[in-house]
Amino acid sequence: ITRKTVVDEAGIHHEADAIVLATGFNLQKQMTSIDLIGRDGRSLRKLWANGASAYHGAMNPGFPNAYFVTGPNTGVGSTSVVLMIEMQIKFIMKCIKEAGRTKLIEPTDKATISYNHTMQKDLQQTVWATDCKSWYKDETGRIGTLYPHTARRFKSEKRQLNKADFNIILKAMP
Protein backbone atom coordinates (compact mmCIF):
# COMPACT_ATOMS: atom_id res chain seq x y z
CA ILE A 1 0.00 0.00 0.00
CA THR A 2 1.42 3.37 -1.01
CA ARG A 3 0.14 6.87 -0.28
CA LYS A 4 -2.40 6.80 -3.15
CA THR A 5 -2.44 3.22 -4.48
CA VAL A 6 -2.81 -0.41 -3.58
CA VAL A 7 -0.27 -2.64 -5.30
CA ASP A 8 -1.48 -6.12 -6.29
CA GLU A 9 0.61 -9.30 -6.58
CA ALA A 10 1.39 -8.53 -10.24
CA GLY A 11 2.87 -5.17 -9.24
CA ILE A 12 -0.01 -3.14 -10.72
CA HIS A 13 -0.88 0.05 -8.84
CA HIS A 14 -4.61 0.65 -8.24
CA GLU A 15 -5.61 4.14 -7.16
CA ALA A 16 -7.68 4.19 -3.98
CA ASP A 17 -9.26 6.92 -1.92
CA ALA A 18 -10.14 4.50 0.86
CA ILE A 19 -9.42 0.92 1.85
CA VAL A 20 -12.09 -1.06 3.64
CA LEU A 21 -11.07 -4.15 5.53
CA ALA A 22 -14.20 -6.31 5.77
CA THR A 23 -13.47 -9.38 7.82
CA GLY A 24 -17.10 -10.40 8.23
CA PHE A 25 -18.78 -11.81 11.29
CA ASN A 26 -20.88 -14.76 12.28
CA LEU A 27 -24.20 -13.87 13.90
CA GLN A 28 -25.11 -17.47 14.58
CA LYS A 29 -22.00 -18.11 16.66
CA GLN A 30 -22.28 -14.73 18.35
CA MET A 31 -25.63 -15.80 19.81
CA THR A 32 -24.00 -18.76 21.57
CA SER A 33 -20.77 -17.08 22.60
CA ILE A 34 -21.91 -17.16 26.23
CA ASP A 35 -23.96 -19.88 27.84
CA LEU A 36 -27.09 -19.05 29.77
CA ILE A 37 -28.17 -21.73 32.22
CA GLY A 38 -31.89 -21.90 32.88
CA ARG A 39 -34.27 -23.93 34.99
CA ASP A 40 -33.08 -27.47 35.80
CA GLY A 41 -29.62 -26.72 34.38
CA ARG A 42 -30.92 -26.22 30.85
CA SER A 43 -28.20 -24.79 28.58
CA LEU A 44 -29.09 -22.15 25.98
CA ARG A 45 -25.94 -23.02 24.06
CA LYS A 46 -27.10 -26.65 23.79
CA LEU A 47 -30.66 -25.58 22.95
CA TRP A 48 -29.34 -23.40 20.12
CA ALA A 49 -26.67 -25.86 18.91
CA ASN A 50 -28.61 -26.49 15.68
CA GLY A 51 -29.77 -22.90 15.19
CA ALA A 52 -31.00 -20.18 17.50
CA SER A 53 -34.72 -19.65 17.87
CA ALA A 54 -36.90 -17.92 20.44
CA TYR A 55 -40.49 -16.89 21.08
CA HIS A 56 -40.82 -13.51 19.34
CA GLY A 57 -37.02 -13.40 19.31
CA ALA A 58 -37.19 -12.50 22.99
CA MET A 59 -37.34 -15.56 25.23
CA ASN A 60 -37.25 -19.34 25.50
CA PRO A 61 -39.03 -22.03 27.52
CA GLY A 62 -36.92 -23.13 30.47
CA PHE A 63 -35.40 -19.68 30.93
CA PRO A 64 -37.94 -17.78 33.05
CA ASN A 65 -37.60 -14.00 33.22
CA ALA A 66 -34.67 -14.07 30.76
CA TYR A 67 -34.96 -11.87 27.67
CA PHE A 68 -33.10 -11.10 24.43
CA VAL A 69 -33.30 -7.69 22.81
CA THR A 70 -31.68 -8.63 19.49
CA GLY A 71 -32.44 -12.33 19.65
CA PRO A 72 -33.14 -14.75 16.82
CA ASN A 73 -35.26 -13.48 13.91
CA THR A 74 -35.39 -9.86 15.07
CA GLY A 75 -33.36 -8.18 12.34
CA VAL A 76 -34.81 -6.68 9.18
CA GLY A 77 -33.16 -5.57 5.99
CA SER A 78 -35.49 -2.60 5.54
CA THR A 79 -35.07 -0.40 8.62
CA SER A 80 -32.77 0.42 11.48
CA VAL A 81 -32.13 -2.20 14.11
CA VAL A 82 -32.66 0.59 16.66
CA LEU A 83 -36.38 0.64 15.81
CA MET A 84 -36.55 -3.13 16.27
CA ILE A 85 -34.74 -2.85 19.62
CA GLU A 86 -37.20 -0.23 20.83
CA MET A 87 -40.16 -2.46 19.94
CA GLN A 88 -38.52 -5.48 21.53
CA ILE A 89 -37.90 -3.57 24.76
CA LYS A 90 -41.58 -2.58 24.93
CA PHE A 91 -42.53 -6.25 24.50
CA ILE A 92 -40.08 -7.31 27.21
CA MET A 93 -41.41 -4.61 29.56
CA LYS A 94 -44.92 -6.08 29.12
CA CYS A 95 -43.57 -9.47 30.17
CA ILE A 96 -41.78 -7.95 33.17
CA LYS A 97 -44.95 -6.12 34.20
CA GLU A 98 -46.99 -9.32 33.87
CA ALA A 99 -44.53 -11.23 36.06
CA GLY A 100 -44.18 -8.45 38.60
CA ARG A 101 -41.97 -9.13 41.60
CA THR A 102 -43.54 -12.43 42.56
CA LYS A 103 -43.87 -14.47 39.37
CA LEU A 104 -41.80 -16.17 36.72
CA ILE A 105 -42.81 -15.92 33.08
CA GLU A 106 -41.66 -18.00 30.13
CA PRO A 107 -43.22 -18.98 26.82
CA THR A 108 -44.68 -22.45 26.41
CA ASP A 109 -42.91 -25.00 24.24
CA LYS A 110 -45.97 -25.13 21.97
CA ALA A 111 -46.07 -21.35 21.41
CA THR A 112 -42.32 -21.18 20.80
CA ILE A 113 -42.30 -24.05 18.31
CA SER A 114 -45.32 -22.63 16.48
CA TYR A 115 -43.84 -19.14 16.29
CA ASN A 116 -40.51 -20.40 14.94
CA HIS A 117 -42.16 -22.74 12.44
CA THR A 118 -44.04 -19.72 11.07
CA MET A 119 -40.84 -17.62 10.96
CA GLN A 120 -38.95 -20.25 8.97
CA LYS A 121 -41.90 -20.91 6.63
CA ASP A 122 -42.35 -17.18 5.96
CA LEU A 123 -38.62 -16.65 5.46
CA GLN A 124 -38.72 -19.15 2.59
CA GLN A 125 -40.79 -16.59 0.67
CA THR A 126 -38.08 -13.90 0.94
CA VAL A 127 -35.11 -13.01 -1.22
CA TRP A 128 -32.88 -14.06 1.68
CA ALA A 129 -33.83 -17.71 1.13
CA THR A 130 -32.58 -17.83 -2.47
CA ASP A 131 -29.38 -19.59 -3.48
CA CYS A 132 -27.25 -16.57 -2.63
CA LYS A 133 -24.53 -16.90 -0.02
CA SER A 134 -25.30 -14.66 2.89
CA TRP A 135 -24.17 -14.13 6.46
CA TYR A 136 -27.85 -14.27 7.38
CA LYS A 137 -27.76 -18.04 6.83
CA ASP A 138 -26.08 -20.69 8.92
CA GLU A 139 -24.15 -23.65 7.50
CA THR A 140 -27.42 -25.51 6.76
CA GLY A 141 -29.03 -22.55 4.98
CA ARG A 142 -31.39 -21.79 7.89
CA ILE A 143 -32.01 -18.08 8.53
CA GLY A 144 -31.98 -17.42 12.25
CA THR A 145 -31.23 -13.71 12.17
CA LEU A 146 -33.85 -11.99 10.03
CA TYR A 147 -37.50 -11.31 10.62
CA PRO A 148 -39.42 -12.08 7.39
CA HIS A 149 -41.92 -9.22 7.52
CA THR A 150 -42.03 -5.45 7.98
CA ALA A 151 -41.13 -3.52 11.10
CA ARG A 152 -44.77 -2.41 11.25
CA ARG A 153 -45.90 -6.04 11.51
CA PHE A 154 -43.18 -6.74 14.12
CA LYS A 155 -44.62 -3.91 16.20
CA SER A 156 -48.19 -5.11 15.71
CA GLU A 157 -47.32 -8.66 16.80
CA LYS A 158 -45.94 -7.31 20.05
CA ARG A 159 -48.80 -4.98 20.90
CA GLN A 160 -50.41 -7.37 23.39
CA LEU A 161 -49.24 -10.42 25.28
CA ASN A 162 -51.17 -13.56 24.46
CA LYS A 163 -51.24 -14.97 27.98
CA ALA A 164 -52.12 -18.43 26.63
CA ASP A 165 -48.60 -18.52 25.14
CA PHE A 166 -46.96 -18.30 28.58
CA ASN A 167 -46.39 -20.24 31.74
CA ILE A 168 -46.69 -17.77 34.59
CA ILE A 169 -46.01 -19.18 38.04
CA LEU A 170 -45.32 -17.89 41.53
CA LYS A 171 -41.64 -17.55 42.36
CA ALA A 172 -40.34 -19.66 45.21
CA MET A 173 -39.53 -17.15 47.93
CA PRO A 174 -36.39 -17.61 50.10
Side-chain angles (χ1 to χ4, degrees):
I1 298 172
T2 69
R3 204 165 75 95
K4 293 186 176 189
T5 65
V6 175
V7 184
D8 67 20
E9 290 176 341
I12 299 170
H13 289 252
H14 303 273
E15 285 192 30
D17 293 325
I19 300 171
V20 177
L21 177 61
T23 59
F25 55 98
N26 186 321
L27 283 180
Q28 289 77 22
K29 289 191 175 139
Q30 175 268 332
M31 287 192 209
T32 58
S33 63
I34 61 167
D35 198 10
L36 179 64
I37 304 300
R39 185 175 20 82
D40 301 325
R42 192 171 196 178
S43 163
L44 188 65
R45 183 177 288 151
K46 286 181 185 172
L47 178 66
W48 286 358
N50 295 317
S53 62
Y55 178 80
H56 283 270
M59 52 203 308
N60 281 97
F63 298 87
N65 294 10
Y67 308 98
F68 317 111
V69 176
T70 55
N73 299 110
T74 58
V76 291
S78 60
T79 191
S80 168
V81 71
V82 173
L83 179 63
M84 304 302 278
I85 289 169
E86 289 171 352
M87 290 184 278
Q88 197 73 330
I89 288 172
K90 288 177 183 178
F91 176 77
I92 291 167
M93 293 306 296
K94 288 175 188 170
C95 292
I96 291 170
K97 185 176 179 182
E98 185 64 36
R101 294 180 180 269
T102 61
K103 298 177 197 146
L104 300 173
I105 185 172
E106 64 184 271
T108 65
D109 286 320
K110 181 180 177 183
T112 304
I113 290 166
S114 176
Y115 179 81
N116 285 288
H117 174 76
T118 299
M119 286 296 99
Q120 291 307 308
K121 182 176 73 88
D122 292 355
L123 277 161
Q124 292 309 305
Q125 305 305 310
T126 69
V127 68
W128 308 113
T130 62
D131 289 338
C132 68
K133 284 199 170 233
S134 164
W135 59 268
Y136 294 123
K137 296 178 181 180
D138 66 16
E139 300 83 28
T140 68
R142 183 180 178 279
I143 303 169
T145 53
L146 291 175
Y147 176 74
H149 306 291
T150 65
R152 181 175 288 169
R153 180 165 169 179
F154 189 84
K155 181 179 182 179
S156 175
E157 288 176 355
K158 290 167 178 39
R159 215 168 254 142
Q160 291 186 315
L161 290 184
N162 180 357
K163 291 183 187 175
D165 286 353
F166 294 93
N167 291 318
I168 304 169
I169 60 168
L170 279 175
K171 229 188 276 191
M173 295 302 197

